[in-house]
Each structure stands twice: as C-alpha cells, then as structure tokens.
C-alpha cells in the first residue's frame, strides 16, 4: 500500500535554481494538495486540485506553480527558488470534495527543501 | 491566516495520564479533523467530527465540538510514550471550499 508518494525526499538548491516536486497517489482520489510546513507553524496550503483538470491557489501560492498531470499525479514547481522557500513540503490527497465537505486527507512523508 | 488556534502549544505528561488539547476556530465549518504527526513524518488522520455532532470516540481518543464557542478538544486517555507527537486540528467548510485549514499544533511529550 504505497498511498501518497513524494519525490525527492531531500533537496538542496541555490537561490534562483528551479526544481519540481513530484507527487503520486494510488488511491484513485479526486483531490490533491500541496502544503508547506515551517518550524513552529502549522501547514499552509500552497495549491490544490479539487479534481483532474482543475487547480486553485491556496494561502501561499506566490513563487510556485502546479500541474495536475492526471488523476494520480500532482507536481509542484519552484521556478526561481528563494531562501524563504526553505521548508518541508507535503503532498496530500482526499477522496471527497465539495462545497461543504472535505474528508480525510492522506499525506506523503514530505520533501525537505533547503534553498541557500 | 490560520483558521485553527491550538492550546497549549506544548504539553508534557507522564505515561498513564490523560492529555487534553484544545482548538479554536473563527468561521463556520462543515467538519473538524484531528491529525497526528510523528517527528520527521507525514500527518496521519485521527478522527473527523461533523458540525452537527457534539462528541465522538475512537479507541482512546475522545473529541468534542462546540460550534457555539467555535472550539474543539481532543482527549487522549491513558497516554503512552508512543503517543509523543504533534497534534493538529484542521477545519473544513465555510469559505474554505474543498480544502482543510490547519492550526499550528500542540506538541505532546509523554514521559515513560
């Protein structure tokens, strides 16, 4: 049972470099999410995809782009990395979506990114 | 901005004691969820309580929800050292279409 798989697990970038975080889920979920977690803080939503073919901004989208490649995969791209993007990034998926219903989220193990 | 505010930020107890964590939120919700995060790992879903429910149990977990006070509590009974983790509340619904908004978390340490 793989669940939600994120790659890479660790990455060090220099300021200005670009990279893509990959996420895949094998649970046939409709919705997928990218969150970032900084020390002492909760999770902040970067982007989400309620269903295949749609993406929407979350709380902190600046400096990021996303692609919902298909139902399984949702990638997060940093076009020009900045030190402020040093964080742990979590991908998650959910079976349910709707105006008033967001069910249980399943999380990956995280991708730890350092921008020097 | 964070929807949920958790209290206390850190809690240290002995094995066998009960642990209570509180969560307050600002806007109307459809449901409230609690998650656990072990150090260096992803979050794991513990329990979901809907806005029309007042209390829910799962094993040693008891969650209450008071929508009039916009608050929830998570009680872990008979804590074990393995319960040491961070616990987060997350809210769904209201203006947060299709997504969860997380609080800052409570760090629970259970001493053997």
């Amino acid at each position: 049972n793989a669940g939600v798989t994120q790659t890479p697990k660790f990455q060090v970038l220099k300021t200005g470099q670009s990279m893509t975080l990959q996420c895949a889920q094998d649970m046939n979920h409709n919705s997928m999410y990218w969150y970032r977690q900084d020390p002492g803080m909760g999770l902040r939503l970067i982007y989400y995809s309620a269903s295949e073919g749609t993406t929407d901004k979350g709380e902190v989208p600046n400096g990021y782009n996303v692609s919902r490649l298909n139902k399984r995969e949702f990638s997060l791209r940093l076009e020009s990395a900045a030190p402020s993007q040093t964080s742990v990034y979590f991908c998650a998926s959910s079976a349910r979506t709707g105006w008033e219903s967001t069910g249980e989220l399943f999380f990956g193990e995280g991708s730890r990114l350092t921008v020097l | 901005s964070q929807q949920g505010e958790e209290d206390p930020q850190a809690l240290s107890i002995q094995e066998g004691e009960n642990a209570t964590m509180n969560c307050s939120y600002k806007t109307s919700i459809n449901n409230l969820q609690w998650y656990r995060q072990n150090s260096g790992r992803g979050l794991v879903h513990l329990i979901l309580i809907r806005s029309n429910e007042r209390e829910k149990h799962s094993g040693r977990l008891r969650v209450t929800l008071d929508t009039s006070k916009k608050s929830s509590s998570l009680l872990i009974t008979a804590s074990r050292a393995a319960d040491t983790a961070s616990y987060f509340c997350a809210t769904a619904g209201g203006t947060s279409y299709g997504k969860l908004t997380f609080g800052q978390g409570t760090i629970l340490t259970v001493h053997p």
Side-chain angles (χ1 to χ4, degrees):
Chain A
N1 294 335
V4 178
T5 303
Q6 293 182 230
T7 56
K9 289 184 168 48
F10 299 93
Q11 183 72 49
V12 178
L13 292 177
K14 294 181 180 178
T15 297
Q17 287 185 319
S18 63
M19 76 159 299
T20 300
L21 300 177
Q22 307 285 355
C23 175
Q25 51 93 8
D26 62 2
M27 296 171 282
N28 200 36
H29 285 170
N30 289 321
S31 302
M32 297 186 73
Y33 309 80
W34 277 105
Y35 285 89
R36 62 177 286 174
Q37 184 178 35
D38 300 296
M41 300 184 69
L43 277 73
R44 293 182 292 170
L45 183 65
I46 305 171
Y47 271 94
Y48 68 105
S49 172
S51 60
E52 186 179 356
T54 68
T55 60
D56 286 285
K57 295 178 180 179
E59 184 184 355
V60 288
N62 291 345
Y64 305 95
N65 286 303
V66 290
S67 295
R68 183 74 183 266
L69 303 171
N70 47 55
K71 193 171 186 178
R72 289 187 64 249
E73 298 171 288
F74 188 39
S75 63
L76 178 71
R77 183 161 178 84
L78 286 70
E79 292 290 352
S80 179
S84 61
Q85 294 178 304
T86 293
S87 188
V88 181
Y89 292 85
F90 288 98
C91 178
S93 69
S94 173
R96 294 190 335 209
T97 188
W99 276 107
E100 296 187 349
S101 177
T102 299
E104 171 185 359
L105 261 59
F106 293 81
F107 282 84
E109 289 296 308
S111 298
R112 286 148 183 83
L113 175 65
T114 301
V115 183
L116 302 175
Chain B
S1 62
Q2 299 294 322
Q3 162 79 310
E5 296 289 336
E6 283 156 280
D7 172 59
Q9 290 187 333
L11 180 60
S12 181
I13 60 174
Q14 296 294 128
E15 244 183 353
E17 295 180 340
N18 295 341
T20 299
M21 288 159 268
N22 302 298
C23 170
S24 60
Y25 57 92
K26 299 174 184 175
T27 64
S28 64
I29 62 171
N30 175 262
N31 68 65
L32 186 145
Q33 303 177 31
W34 286 90
Y35 288 79
R36 165 193 171 128
Q37 183 181 33
N38 286 7
S39 181
R41 305 296 299 274
L43 279 73
V44 175
H45 181 265
L46 295 176
I47 197 166
L48 180 155
I49 186 166
R50 293 180 174 79
S51 59
N52 61 354
E53 297 175 313
R54 291 298 167 257
E55 187 170 313
K56 203 162 184 180
H57 296 256
S58 177
R60 294 184 295 112
L61 305 180
R62 172 178 170 255
V63 169
T64 61
L65 179 64
D66 187 335
T67 53
S68 67
K69 295 181 179 178
K70 292 186 170 57
S71 67
S72 173
S73 66
L74 171 67
L75 168 67
I76 304 174
T77 60
S79 296
R80 306 165 181 168
D83 293 328
T84 294
S86 293
Y87 292 82
F88 295 90
C89 68
T91 55
T95 57
S96 299
Y97 166 60
K99 55 187 185 284
L100 287 184
T101 303
F102 285 81
Q104 296 183 352
T106 293
I107 300 172
L108 172 66
T109 303
V110 182
H111 299 281

